[in-house]
Amino acid sequence: MENVIRVGIVGYGNLGRGVERSIGLNPDMHVAGVFTRRDPASVAPLSEGTAVRAVEELPALADEIDVLVLCGGSKSDLPVQSPQLASVFSIVDSFDTHARIPQHYAAVDAAARAAGTTAIISTGWDPGLFSLQRLYGEAILPQGETYTFWGRGLSQGHSDAIRRVPGVAAGVQYTIPSDDAVSRVRAGERPELTTREKHTRECFVVLEDGADADAVREAIVTMPDYFEPYDTTVHFISAQELARDHAGVPHGGFVIRSGSTSSEASQSVEFRLALESNPEFTASVLVAYARAAVRLAAAGDHGAKTPFDVAPGLLSPKTPEQLRAELL
Amino acid sequence: MENVIRVGIVGYGNLGRGVERSIGLNPDMHVAGVFTRRDPASVAPLSEGTAVRAVEELPALADEIDVLVLCGGSKSDLPVQSPQLASVFSIVDSFDTHARIPQHYAAVDAAARAAGTTAIISTGWDPGLFSLQRLYGEAILPQGETYTFWGRGLSQGHSDAIRRVPGVAAGVQYTIPSDDAVSRVRAGERPELTTREKHTRECFVVLEDGADADAVREAIVTMPDYFEPYDTTVHFISAQELARDHAGVPHGGFVIRSGSTSSEASQSVEFRLALESNPEFTASVLVAYARAAVRLAAAGDHGAKTPFDVAPGLLSPKTPEQLRAELL
């Protein structure tokens, strides 16, 4: 067995706490510290044994940490942190702004190559596991179509959009894949689906005192990009109901490759996630890729990587011999 | 774009024909020939342009072929052919005798290392894609259980067993996953399931003239290992019905990882295949891994590999840049 992998957690919101929990389930790994931009004294870790330190201390700790798991956001944190920290440490991030992945990759790759570190970007489940399924599906069934459906799940971005509507005190939004669309895809129809046909949106809203429900509903369902392209349902509930029934962060979805190998044979490959905690699952994916990053770095395979570049066996604590005997 | 990959097909049953079809769907690949142990003049390829040659000609063709796809059986063909041919060519096989994978790997690895070739063994869907899902599931959710269900699908081994029963003229057998077991697993119950609870078996049998249906049924359902551990249903049908309704070779199944990341959060990862043609789909997986074998060989990464060792991106004809921009 290798030495225990010392993992630093950068950022300590829901995702960072998920990483701390996940490391606790992996005996070959150890939390080397939580690194925060807040006052470390103000941050209470889940486990008493976890040290909380200032993110500024990191550059001096290159010898004490094998890999950093970056838990910041893709909008403003990771574009700065990933290249910066990859110039000292091997890292894993969950950069998820699809359109900017090529430029993020280039920046991280330059830093990691110069420093001789390994940086796996865009891990998590989409991008991440869903991306892998899109790739496997297309490579195996070149004649076909790939469909990605999200949900049923809480969308943070859409929930934030609801909460900015005047008259809304609080609220959450669930993205829901259309049963009809999923059934048609599974049946091998290979339909062309509009945005409205693929997903619906369901909102649970707490009104401010005296707010006009109809006006709020109208403002939500007509909101461009966020809700207008979808069939959106708005439910008004009490603050108590919101706290009782909507505190979780479930998510999930499907990737379906529907293809054919000859005129007689339709083939369907489906990958499905049903997650009760989106941040804890995402964190678990990041942690598995952290193990891979350490192994790639040790093998001298430096630079930026994505899940496409990482041999599956590197994610597992088991040896290649064990994997062949037990899982193949 | 790389040069077109020249693929030799060794063995020309259902799987070999599926490989020929699959290569026709991949513009970066070309059939360099079908190699058979039969009289080549007696073998008609699907495509007129495909040359059929004697397998004995292979050793002289090292310069004309980039990779061989081995389409023989795991019982007697591949244990001999894979090491033998890996000592001249990069190869891909679908060796599927789970218990003998370690010794097959060792024999192929020795031959491939000595020759400087790359040999990817045990591709296909189980072992193969299902193995990958078992690995990803376990690595990401270490606290959990993995369930593999097969079917609904035609089992060649069980169909052969039926046909050996006295009084049976012809017949097929379908393996069927139990709906109830799948539902319980999906619901996160993590049940301990007996063999009988996971799958049922359904047989469609054509009797010989004068055979005793009750005796045949009894001989089937009590057959040790094959049918006794399962709830088995036997239907008697005519030869015409068998030809009309049971000529296809459908298969598929599920791999489900049911885990938890904390006491509050159950997580479920499911992979599902629904295949109208098992050999054509298996062939498509072999062909994608043939592309990977050629790339690994060109990169000097020699020896035996399994799907666990192959970075997903190597399966796709797209460049890493395209994959990041289009599929991540």
Side-chain angles (χ1 to χ4, degrees), chain A residues 131 133-134 138 261-262 268 270 272 274 276-277 280 308 313 318 327-328, chain B residues 131 133-134 138 261-262 266 268 270 272 274 280 308 313 318 327-328:
Chain A
S131 318
Q133 299 300 324
R134 287 188 283 263
E138 185 182 281
T261 47
S262 64
S268 171
E270 177 173 332
R272 174 172 170 263
E276 286 188 359
S277 167
E280 287 185 11
F308 297 154
K318 294 183 173 171
L327 294 183
L328 198 60
Chain B
S131 318
Q133 299 300 324
R134 287 188 284 263
E138 185 182 281
T261 47
S262 65
S266 287
S268 170
E270 177 173 333
R272 174 171 170 264
E280 287 185 11
F308 296 154
K318 294 184 173 171
L327 294 184
L328 197 63

PDB file of all heavy atoms in Angstrom, chain A residues 131 133-134 138 261-262 268 270 272 274 276-277 280 308 313 318 327-328, chain B residues 131 133-134 138 261-262 266 268 270 272 274 280 308 313 318 327-328:
ATOM      1  N   SER A 131     -19.600  13.610 -18.945  1.00  0.00           N
ATOM      2  CA  SER A 131     -18.735  13.794 -20.115  1.00  0.00           C
ATOM      3  C   SER A 131     -18.163  12.452 -20.563  1.00  0.00           C
ATOM      4  O   SER A 131     -18.082  12.154 -21.759  1.00  0.00           O
ATOM      5  CB  SER A 131     -17.580  14.735 -19.777  1.00  0.00           C
ATOM      6  OG  SER A 131     -18.001  15.834 -18.997  1.00  0.00           O
ATOM      7  N   GLN A 133     -19.444   9.533 -20.182  1.00  0.00           N
ATOM      8  CA  GLN A 133     -20.478   8.726 -20.831  1.00  0.00           C
ATOM      9  C   GLN A 133     -20.756   9.224 -22.237  1.00  0.00           C
ATOM     10  O   GLN A 133     -21.004   8.440 -23.144  1.00  0.00           O
ATOM     11  CB  GLN A 133     -21.757   8.729 -19.982  1.00  0.00           C
ATOM     12  CG  GLN A 133     -21.554   8.139 -18.599  1.00  0.00           C
ATOM     13  CD  GLN A 133     -21.090   6.695 -18.609  1.00  0.00           C
ATOM     14  OE1 GLN A 133     -21.499   5.907 -19.462  1.00  0.00           O
ATOM     15  NE2 GLN A 133     -20.243   6.325 -17.664  1.00  0.00           N
ATOM     16  N   ARG A 134     -20.740  10.552 -22.417  1.00  0.00           N
ATOM     17  CA  ARG A 134     -20.925  11.088 -23.777  1.00  0.00           C
ATOM     18  C   ARG A 134     -19.812  10.570 -24.692  1.00  0.00           C
ATOM     19  O   ARG A 134     -20.043  10.201 -25.839  1.00  0.00           O
ATOM     20  CB  ARG A 134     -20.934  12.627 -23.738  1.00  0.00           C
ATOM     21  CG  ARG A 134     -22.210  13.211 -23.129  1.00  0.00           C
ATOM     22  CD  ARG A 134     -22.286  14.738 -23.288  1.00  0.00           C
ATOM     23  NE  ARG A 134     -21.454  15.470 -22.353  1.00  0.00           N
ATOM     24  CZ  ARG A 134     -21.865  16.017 -21.209  1.00  0.00           C
ATOM     25  NH1 ARG A 134     -23.133  15.898 -20.831  1.00  0.00           N
ATOM     26  NH2 ARG A 134     -21.028  16.681 -20.443  1.00  0.00           N
ATOM     27  N   GLU A 138     -20.401   7.867 -27.817  1.00  0.00           N
ATOM     28  CA  GLU A 138     -20.132   8.296 -29.191  1.00  0.00           C
ATOM     29  C   GLU A 138     -19.039   7.449 -29.838  1.00  0.00           C
ATOM     30  O   GLU A 138     -19.104   7.138 -31.032  1.00  0.00           O
ATOM     31  CB  GLU A 138     -19.703   9.760 -29.136  1.00  0.00           C
ATOM     32  CG  GLU A 138     -19.505  10.417 -30.452  1.00  0.00           C
ATOM     33  CD  GLU A 138     -19.042  11.861 -30.284  1.00  0.00           C
ATOM     34  OE1 GLU A 138     -19.884  12.737 -30.004  1.00  0.00           O
ATOM     35  OE2 GLU A 138     -17.824  12.118 -30.398  1.00  0.00           O
ATOM     36  N   THR A 261     -26.135  -0.197 -34.970  1.00  0.00           N
ATOM     37  CA  THR A 261     -24.930  -0.815 -35.508  1.00  0.00           C
ATOM     38  C   THR A 261     -25.197  -1.425 -36.877  1.00  0.00           C
ATOM     39  O   THR A 261     -24.265  -1.836 -37.560  1.00  0.00           O
ATOM     40  CB  THR A 261     -24.410  -1.903 -34.551  1.00  0.00           C
ATOM     41  OG1 THR A 261     -25.507  -2.728 -34.146  1.00  0.00           O
ATOM     42  CG2 THR A 261     -23.792  -1.268 -33.310  1.00  0.00           C
ATOM     43  N   SER A 262     -26.468  -1.512 -37.252  1.00  0.00           N
ATOM     44  CA  SER A 262     -26.864  -1.978 -38.589  1.00  0.00           C
ATOM     45  C   SER A 262     -28.333  -1.610 -38.724  1.00  0.00           C
ATOM     46  O   SER A 262     -28.958  -1.128 -37.770  1.00  0.00           O
ATOM     47  CB  SER A 262     -26.670  -3.487 -38.725  1.00  0.00           C
ATOM     48  OG  SER A 262     -27.520  -4.178 -37.817  1.00  0.00           O
ATOM     49  N   SER A 268     -28.878   0.896 -27.061  1.00  0.00           N
ATOM     50  CA  SER A 268     -29.048   2.022 -26.152  1.00  0.00           C
ATOM     51  C   SER A 268     -28.122   1.874 -24.944  1.00  0.00           C
ATOM     52  O   SER A 268     -28.059   0.807 -24.329  1.00  0.00           O
ATOM     53  CB  SER A 268     -30.510   2.085 -25.693  1.00  0.00           C
ATOM     54  OG  SER A 268     -30.670   3.022 -24.655  1.00  0.00           O
ATOM     55  N   GLU A 270     -27.237   3.812 -21.368  1.00  0.00           N
ATOM     56  CA  GLU A 270     -27.787   4.844 -20.492  1.00  0.00           C
ATOM     57  C   GLU A 270     -27.005   4.908 -19.187  1.00  0.00           C
ATOM     58  O   GLU A 270     -26.694   3.879 -18.593  1.00  0.00           O
ATOM     59  CB  GLU A 270     -29.256   4.525 -20.202  1.00  0.00           C
ATOM     60  CG  GLU A 270     -29.911   5.504 -19.246  1.00  0.00           C
ATOM     61  CD  GLU A 270     -31.411   5.258 -19.103  1.00  0.00           C
ATOM     62  OE1 GLU A 270     -32.036   4.737 -20.052  1.00  0.00           O
ATOM     63  OE2 GLU A 270     -31.954   5.577 -18.036  1.00  0.00           O
ATOM     64  N   ARG A 272     -27.176   6.902 -15.416  1.00  0.00           N
ATOM     65  CA  ARG A 272     -28.157   7.641 -14.625  1.00  0.00           C
ATOM     66  C   ARG A 272     -27.606   7.904 -13.231  1.00  0.00           C
ATOM     67  O   ARG A 272     -27.061   6.998 -12.595  1.00  0.00           O
ATOM     68  CB  ARG A 272     -29.430   6.791 -14.517  1.00  0.00           C
ATOM     69  CG  ARG A 272     -30.491   7.361 -13.617  1.00  0.00           C
ATOM     70  CD  ARG A 272     -31.752   6.510 -13.765  1.00  0.00           C
ATOM     71  NE  ARG A 272     -32.706   6.881 -12.756  1.00  0.00           N
ATOM     72  CZ  ARG A 272     -32.879   6.246 -11.596  1.00  0.00           C
ATOM     73  NH1 ARG A 272     -32.180   5.167 -11.322  1.00  0.00           N
ATOM     74  NH2 ARG A 272     -33.752   6.678 -10.714  1.00  0.00           N
ATOM     75  N   ALA A 274     -28.826   9.398  -9.459  1.00  0.00           N
ATOM     76  CA  ALA A 274     -29.916   9.856  -8.587  1.00  0.00           C
ATOM     77  C   ALA A 274     -29.255  10.180  -7.251  1.00  0.00           C
ATOM     78  O   ALA A 274     -28.870   9.280  -6.503  1.00  0.00           O
ATOM     79  CB  ALA A 274     -30.983   8.772  -8.442  1.00  0.00           C
ATOM     80  N   GLU A 276     -28.970  12.214  -3.598  1.00  0.00           N
ATOM     81  CA  GLU A 276     -29.650  12.940  -2.520  1.00  0.00           C
ATOM     82  C   GLU A 276     -28.863  14.165  -2.096  1.00  0.00           C
ATOM     83  O   GLU A 276     -29.433  15.098  -1.550  1.00  0.00           O
ATOM     84  CB  GLU A 276     -29.916  12.010  -1.325  1.00  0.00           C
ATOM     85  CG  GLU A 276     -31.048  11.040  -1.626  1.00  0.00           C
ATOM     86  CD  GLU A 276     -31.479  10.230  -0.413  1.00  0.00           C
ATOM     87  OE1 GLU A 276     -30.900  10.389   0.686  1.00  0.00           O
ATOM     88  OE2 GLU A 276     -32.396   9.414  -0.577  1.00  0.00           O
ATOM     89  N   SER A 277     -27.551  14.142  -2.303  1.00  0.00           N
ATOM     90  CA  SER A 277     -26.750  15.338  -2.028  1.00  0.00           C
ATOM     91  C   SER A 277     -25.797  15.570  -3.195  1.00  0.00           C
ATOM     92  O   SER A 277     -24.802  14.856  -3.345  1.00  0.00           O
ATOM     93  CB  SER A 277     -25.959  15.191  -0.733  1.00  0.00           C
ATOM     94  OG  SER A 277     -24.983  16.238  -0.664  1.00  0.00           O
ATOM     95  N   GLU A 280     -22.144  16.537  -1.953  1.00  0.00           N
ATOM     96  CA  GLU A 280     -21.385  15.399  -1.403  1.00  0.00           C
ATOM     97  C   GLU A 280     -20.971  14.427  -2.509  1.00  0.00           C
ATOM     98  O   GLU A 280     -19.875  13.860  -2.467  1.00  0.00           O
ATOM     99  CB  GLU A 280     -22.185  14.654  -0.335  1.00  0.00           C
ATOM    100  CG  GLU A 280     -22.291  15.445   0.967  1.00  0.00           C
ATOM    101  CD  GLU A 280     -22.990  14.658   2.070  1.00  0.00           C
ATOM    102  OE1 GLU A 280     -23.218  13.439   1.920  1.00  0.00           O
ATOM    103  OE2 GLU A 280     -23.331  15.283   3.097  1.00  0.00           O
ATOM    104  N   PHE A 308     -11.100  12.732 -19.418  1.00  0.00           N
ATOM    105  CA  PHE A 308     -10.843  11.965 -20.645  1.00  0.00           C
ATOM    106  C   PHE A 308      -9.426  11.384 -20.686  1.00  0.00           C
ATOM    107  O   PHE A 308      -9.167  10.432 -21.420  1.00  0.00           O
ATOM    108  CB  PHE A 308     -11.019  12.860 -21.881  1.00  0.00           C
ATOM    109  CG  PHE A 308     -12.405  13.396 -22.073  1.00  0.00           C
ATOM    110  CD1 PHE A 308     -12.623  14.580 -22.773  1.00  0.00           C
ATOM    111  CD2 PHE A 308     -13.510  12.719 -21.577  1.00  0.00           C
ATOM    112  CE1 PHE A 308     -13.906  15.068 -22.973  1.00  0.00           C
ATOM    113  CE2 PHE A 308     -14.806  13.198 -21.769  1.00  0.00           C
ATOM    114  CZ  PHE A 308     -14.996  14.380 -22.475  1.00  0.00           C
ATOM    115  N   GLY A 313      -8.516   2.988 -13.873  1.00  0.00           N
ATOM    116  CA  GLY A 313      -7.900   2.289 -12.749  1.00  0.00           C
ATOM    117  C   GLY A 313      -7.199   3.202 -11.759  1.00  0.00           C
ATOM    118  O   GLY A 313      -7.051   2.849 -10.583  1.00  0.00           O
ATOM    119  N   LYS A 318      -7.402   0.265  -5.212  1.00  0.00           N
ATOM    120  CA  LYS A 318      -6.934  -1.107  -5.427  1.00  0.00           C
ATOM    121  C   LYS A 318      -5.789  -1.149  -6.433  1.00  0.00           C
ATOM    122  O   LYS A 318      -5.671  -0.292  -7.295  1.00  0.00           O
ATOM    123  CB  LYS A 318      -8.093  -1.978  -5.916  1.00  0.00           C
ATOM    124  CG  LYS A 318      -9.174  -2.152  -4.857  1.00  0.00           C
ATOM    125  CD  LYS A 318     -10.288  -3.071  -5.298  1.00  0.00           C
ATOM    126  CE  LYS A 318     -11.242  -3.322  -4.119  1.00  0.00           C
ATOM    127  NZ  LYS A 318     -12.462  -4.042  -4.536  1.00  0.00           N
ATOM    128  N   LEU A 327     -12.865  -6.919 -10.190  1.00  0.00           N
ATOM    129  CA  LEU A 327     -13.880  -6.069 -10.818  1.00  0.00           C
ATOM    130  C   LEU A 327     -14.054  -6.266 -12.317  1.00  0.00           C
ATOM    131  O   LEU A 327     -15.040  -5.809 -12.884  1.00  0.00           O
ATOM    132  CB  LEU A 327     -13.572  -4.586 -10.558  1.00  0.00           C
ATOM    133  CG  LEU A 327     -13.664  -4.133  -9.112  1.00  0.00           C
ATOM    134  CD1 LEU A 327     -13.405  -2.641  -9.027  1.00  0.00           C
ATOM    135  CD2 LEU A 327     -15.043  -4.442  -8.531  1.00  0.00           C
ATOM    136  N   LEU A 328     -13.018  -6.873 -12.976  1.00  0.00           N
ATOM    137  CA  LEU A 328     -13.106  -6.974 -14.432  1.00  0.00           C
ATOM    138  C   LEU A 328     -14.213  -7.957 -14.803  1.00  0.00           C
ATOM    139  O   LEU A 328     -15.065  -7.654 -15.607  1.00  0.00           O
ATOM    140  CB  LEU A 328     -11.760  -7.431 -15.006  1.00  0.00           C
ATOM    141  CG  LEU A 328     -11.564  -7.174 -16.506  1.00  0.00           C
ATOM    142  CD1 LEU A 328     -11.646  -5.707 -16.843  1.00  0.00           C
ATOM    143  CD2 LEU A 328     -10.211  -7.717 -16.972  1.00  0.00           C
TER     144      LEU A 328
ATOM    145  N   SER B 131     -17.449  -3.594 -16.343  1.00  0.00           N
ATOM    146  CA  SER B 131     -16.321  -3.567 -15.400  1.00  0.00           C
ATOM    147  C   SER B 131     -15.957  -2.127 -15.058  1.00  0.00           C
ATOM    148  O   SER B 131     -15.667  -1.796 -13.901  1.00  0.00           O
ATOM    149  CB  SER B 131     -15.100  -4.249 -16.012  1.00  0.00           C
ATOM    150  OG  SER B 131     -15.452  -5.421 -16.701  1.00  0.00           O
ATOM    151  N   GLN B 133     -17.870   0.454 -15.066  1.00  0.00           N
ATOM    152  CA  GLN B 133     -18.882   1.040 -14.178  1.00  0.00           C
ATOM    153  C   GLN B 133     -18.720   0.529 -12.757  1.00  0.00           C
ATOM    154  O   GLN B 133     -18.913   1.265 -11.793  1.00  0.00           O
ATOM    155  CB  GLN B 133     -20.288   0.759 -14.708  1.00  0.00           C
ATOM    156  CG  GLN B 133     -20.539   1.347 -16.091  1.00  0.00           C
ATOM    157  CD  GLN B 133     -20.396   2.861 -16.152  1.00  0.00           C
ATOM    158  OE1 GLN B 133     -20.748   3.576 -15.212  1.00  0.00           O
ATOM    159  NE2 GLN B 133     -19.879   3.373 -17.258  1.00  0.00           N
ATOM    160  N   ARG B 134     -18.385  -0.756 -12.621  1.00  0.00           N
ATOM    161  CA  ARG B 134     -18.137  -1.288 -11.271  1.00  0.00           C
ATOM    162  C   ARG B 134     -16.976  -0.543 -10.631  1.00  0.00           C
ATOM    163  O   ARG B 134     -17.018  -0.192  -9.442  1.00  0.00           O
ATOM    164  CB  ARG B 134     -17.831  -2.795 -11.344  1.00  0.00           C
ATOM    165  CG  ARG B 134     -19.055  -3.643 -11.652  1.00  0.00           C
ATOM    166  CD  ARG B 134     -18.776  -5.158 -11.522  1.00  0.00           C
ATOM    167  NE  ARG B 134     -18.038  -5.716 -12.622  1.00  0.00           N
ATOM    168  CZ  ARG B 134     -18.571  -6.359 -13.671  1.00  0.00           C
ATOM    169  NH1 ARG B 134     -19.881  -6.528 -13.759  1.00  0.00           N
ATOM    170  NH2 ARG B 134     -17.814  -6.853 -14.623  1.00  0.00           N
ATOM    171  N   GLU B 138     -17.380   2.075  -7.372  1.00  0.00           N
ATOM    172  CA  GLU B 138     -16.717   1.743  -6.107  1.00  0.00           C
ATOM    173  C   GLU B 138     -15.705   2.815  -5.705  1.00  0.00           C
ATOM    174  O   GLU B 138     -15.561   3.134  -4.524  1.00  0.00           O
ATOM    175  CB  GLU B 138     -16.022   0.390  -6.288  1.00  0.00           C
ATOM    176  CG  GLU B 138     -15.383  -0.172  -5.075  1.00  0.00           C
ATOM    177  CD  GLU B 138     -14.684  -1.500  -5.383  1.00  0.00           C
ATOM    178  OE1 GLU B 138     -15.372  -2.528  -5.482  1.00  0.00           O
ATOM    179  OE2 GLU B 138     -13.442  -1.489  -5.527  1.00  0.00           O
ATOM    180  N   THR B 261     -22.885   8.937   1.105  1.00  0.00           N
ATOM    181  CA  THR B 261     -21.749   9.811   1.374  1.00  0.00           C
ATOM    182  C   THR B 261     -21.815  10.385   2.780  1.00  0.00           C
ATOM    183  O   THR B 261     -20.865  10.992   3.247  1.00  0.00           O
ATOM    184  CB  THR B 261     -21.704  10.952   0.345  1.00  0.00           C
ATOM    185  OG1 THR B 261     -23.014  11.523   0.219  1.00  0.00           O
ATOM    186  CG2 THR B 261     -21.272  10.414  -1.030  1.00  0.00           C
ATOM    187  N   SER B 262     -22.953  10.217   3.436  1.00  0.00           N
ATOM    188  CA  SER B 262     -23.124  10.610   4.837  1.00  0.00           C
ATOM    189  C   SER B 262     -24.404   9.956   5.302  1.00  0.00           C
ATOM    190  O   SER B 262     -25.103   9.323   4.507  1.00  0.00           O
ATOM    191  CB  SER B 262     -23.218  12.139   4.963  1.00  0.00           C
ATOM    192  OG  SER B 262     -24.390  12.610   4.322  1.00  0.00           O
ATOM    193  N   SER B 266     -28.152   9.217   0.426  1.00  0.00           N
ATOM    194  CA  SER B 266     -27.972   8.050  -0.433  1.00  0.00           C
ATOM    195  C   SER B 266     -27.712   8.533  -1.848  1.00  0.00           C
ATOM    196  O   SER B 266     -28.267   9.533  -2.284  1.00  0.00           O
ATOM    197  CB  SER B 266     -29.245   7.199  -0.453  1.00  0.00           C
ATOM    198  OG  SER B 266     -29.403   6.527   0.755  1.00  0.00           O
ATOM    199  N   SER B 268     -27.065   7.078  -5.987  1.00  0.00           N
ATOM    200  CA  SER B 268     -27.210   5.927  -6.862  1.00  0.00           C
ATOM    201  C   SER B 268     -26.643   6.246  -8.245  1.00  0.00           C
ATOM    202  O   SER B 268     -26.945   7.273  -8.831  1.00  0.00           O
ATOM    203  CB  SER B 268     -28.689   5.560  -6.971  1.00  0.00           C
ATOM    204  OG  SER B 268     -28.885   4.593  -7.975  1.00  0.00           O
ATOM    205  N   GLU B 270     -26.209   4.448 -11.963  1.00  0.00           N
ATOM    206  CA  GLU B 270     -26.709   3.300 -12.724  1.00  0.00           C
ATOM    207  C   GLU B 270     -26.260   3.363 -14.174  1.00  0.00           C
ATOM    208  O   GLU B 270     -26.300   4.417 -14.801  1.00  0.00           O
ATOM    209  CB  GLU B 270     -28.240   3.301 -12.660  1.00  0.00           C
ATOM    210  CG  GLU B 270     -28.871   2.193 -13.473  1.00  0.00           C
ATOM    211  CD  GLU B 270     -30.386   2.099 -13.258  1.00  0.00           C
ATOM    212  OE1 GLU B 270     -30.873   2.487 -12.171  1.00  0.00           O
ATOM    213  OE2 GLU B 270     -31.077   1.654 -14.182  1.00  0.00           O
ATOM    214  N   ARG B 272     -26.873   1.283 -17.845  1.00  0.00           N
ATOM    215  CA  ARG B 272     -27.824   0.330 -18.420  1.00  0.00           C
ATOM    216  C   ARG B 272     -27.563   0.159 -19.903  1.00  0.00           C
ATOM    217  O   ARG B 272     -27.379   1.135 -20.627  1.00  0.00           O
ATOM    218  CB  ARG B 272     -29.226   0.878 -18.207  1.00  0.00           C
ATOM    219  CG  ARG B 272     -30.319   0.097 -18.856  1.00  0.00           C
ATOM    220  CD  ARG B 272     -31.686   0.619 -18.396  1.00  0.00           C
ATOM    221  NE  ARG B 272     -32.737   0.030 -19.189  1.00  0.00           N
ATOM    222  CZ  ARG B 272     -33.287   0.599 -20.263  1.00  0.00           C
ATOM    223  NH1 ARG B 272     -32.905   1.783 -20.642  1.00  0.00           N
ATOM    224  NH2 ARG B 272     -34.235  -0.010 -20.941  1.00  0.00           N
ATOM    225  N   ALA B 274     -29.272  -1.645 -23.346  1.00  0.00           N
ATOM    226  CA  ALA B 274     -30.409  -2.342 -23.958  1.00  0.00           C
ATOM    227  C   ALA B 274     -30.026  -2.558 -25.416  1.00  0.00           C
ATOM    228  O   ALA B 274     -30.024  -1.617 -26.212  1.00  0.00           O
ATOM    229  CB  ALA B 274     -31.678  -1.515 -23.837  1.00  0.00           C
ATOM    230  N   GLU B 280     -23.141  -7.400 -32.350  1.00  0.00           N
ATOM    231  CA  GLU B 280     -22.783  -6.147 -33.032  1.00  0.00           C
ATOM    232  C   GLU B 280     -22.336  -5.083 -32.032  1.00  0.00           C
ATOM    233  O   GLU B 280     -21.431  -4.297 -32.308  1.00  0.00           O
ATOM    234  CB  GLU B 280     -23.956  -5.615 -33.871  1.00  0.00           C
ATOM    235  CG  GLU B 280     -24.184  -6.441 -35.125  1.00  0.00           C
ATOM    236  CD  GLU B 280     -25.257  -5.848 -36.029  1.00  0.00           C
ATOM    237  OE1 GLU B 280     -25.684  -4.693 -35.811  1.00  0.00           O
ATOM    238  OE2 GLU B 280     -25.686  -6.559 -36.964  1.00  0.00           O
ATOM    239  N   PHE B 308      -9.423  -0.957 -17.798  1.00  0.00           N
ATOM    240  CA  PHE B 308      -9.070  -0.127 -16.635  1.00  0.00           C
ATOM    241  C   PHE B 308      -7.840   0.737 -16.896  1.00  0.00           C
ATOM    242  O   PHE B 308      -7.633   1.751 -16.226  1.00  0.00           O
ATOM    243  CB  PHE B 308      -8.780  -1.011 -15.417  1.00  0.00           C
ATOM    244  CG  PHE B 308      -9.954  -1.808 -14.930  1.00  0.00           C
ATOM    245  CD1 PHE B 308      -9.746  -2.995 -14.231  1.00  0.00           C
ATOM    246  CD2 PHE B 308     -11.258  -1.388 -15.137  1.00  0.00           C
ATOM    247  CE1 PHE B 308     -10.826  -3.744 -13.739  1.00  0.00           C
ATOM    248  CE2 PHE B 308     -12.346  -2.134 -14.663  1.00  0.00           C
ATOM    249  CZ  PHE B 308     -12.120  -3.306 -13.968  1.00  0.00           C
ATOM    250  N   GLY B 313     -10.299   8.992 -23.539  1.00  0.00           N
ATOM    251  CA  GLY B 313     -10.112   9.777 -24.753  1.00  0.00           C
ATOM    252  C   GLY B 313      -9.475   8.997 -25.894  1.00  0.00           C
ATOM    253  O   GLY B 313      -9.678   9.332 -27.070  1.00  0.00           O
ATOM    254  N   LYS B 318     -11.785  11.665 -32.175  1.00  0.00           N
ATOM    255  CA  LYS B 318     -11.575  13.103 -32.034  1.00  0.00           C
ATOM    256  C   LYS B 318     -10.262  13.403 -31.316  1.00  0.00           C
ATOM    257  O   LYS B 318      -9.769  12.599 -30.524  1.00  0.00           O
ATOM    258  CB  LYS B 318     -12.744  13.718 -31.265  1.00  0.00           C
ATOM    259  CG  LYS B 318     -14.047  13.635 -32.045  1.00  0.00           C
ATOM    260  CD  LYS B 318     -15.194  14.327 -31.324  1.00  0.00           C
ATOM    261  CE  LYS B 318     -16.425  14.344 -32.243  1.00  0.00           C
ATOM    262  NZ  LYS B 318     -17.630  14.812 -31.552  1.00  0.00           N
ATOM    263  N   LEU B 327     -17.343  17.660 -25.894  1.00  0.00           N
ATOM    264  CA  LEU B 327     -17.991  16.624 -25.074  1.00  0.00           C
ATOM    265  C   LEU B 327     -17.835  16.820 -23.569  1.00  0.00           C
ATOM    266  O   LEU B 327     -18.558  16.202 -22.795  1.00  0.00           O
ATOM    267  CB  LEU B 327     -17.444  15.241 -25.443  1.00  0.00           C
ATOM    268  CG  LEU B 327     -17.766  14.735 -26.842  1.00  0.00           C
ATOM    269  CD1 LEU B 327     -17.242  13.324 -27.019  1.00  0.00           C
ATOM    270  CD2 LEU B 327     -19.270  14.761 -27.086  1.00  0.00           C
ATOM    271  N   LEU B 328     -16.846  17.638 -23.157  1.00  0.00           N
ATOM    272  CA  LEU B 328     -16.632  17.760 -21.712  1.00  0.00           C
ATOM    273  C   LEU B 328     -17.784  18.531 -21.067  1.00  0.00           C
ATOM    274  O   LEU B 328     -18.339  18.100 -20.079  1.00  0.00           O
ATOM    275  CB  LEU B 328     -15.298  18.470 -21.446  1.00  0.00           C
ATOM    276  CG  LEU B 328     -14.738  18.337 -20.044  1.00  0.00           C
ATOM    277  CD1 LEU B 328     -14.422  16.881 -19.711  1.00  0.00           C
ATOM    278  CD2 LEU B 328     -13.450  19.145 -19.903  1.00  0.00           C
TER     279      LEU B 328
END
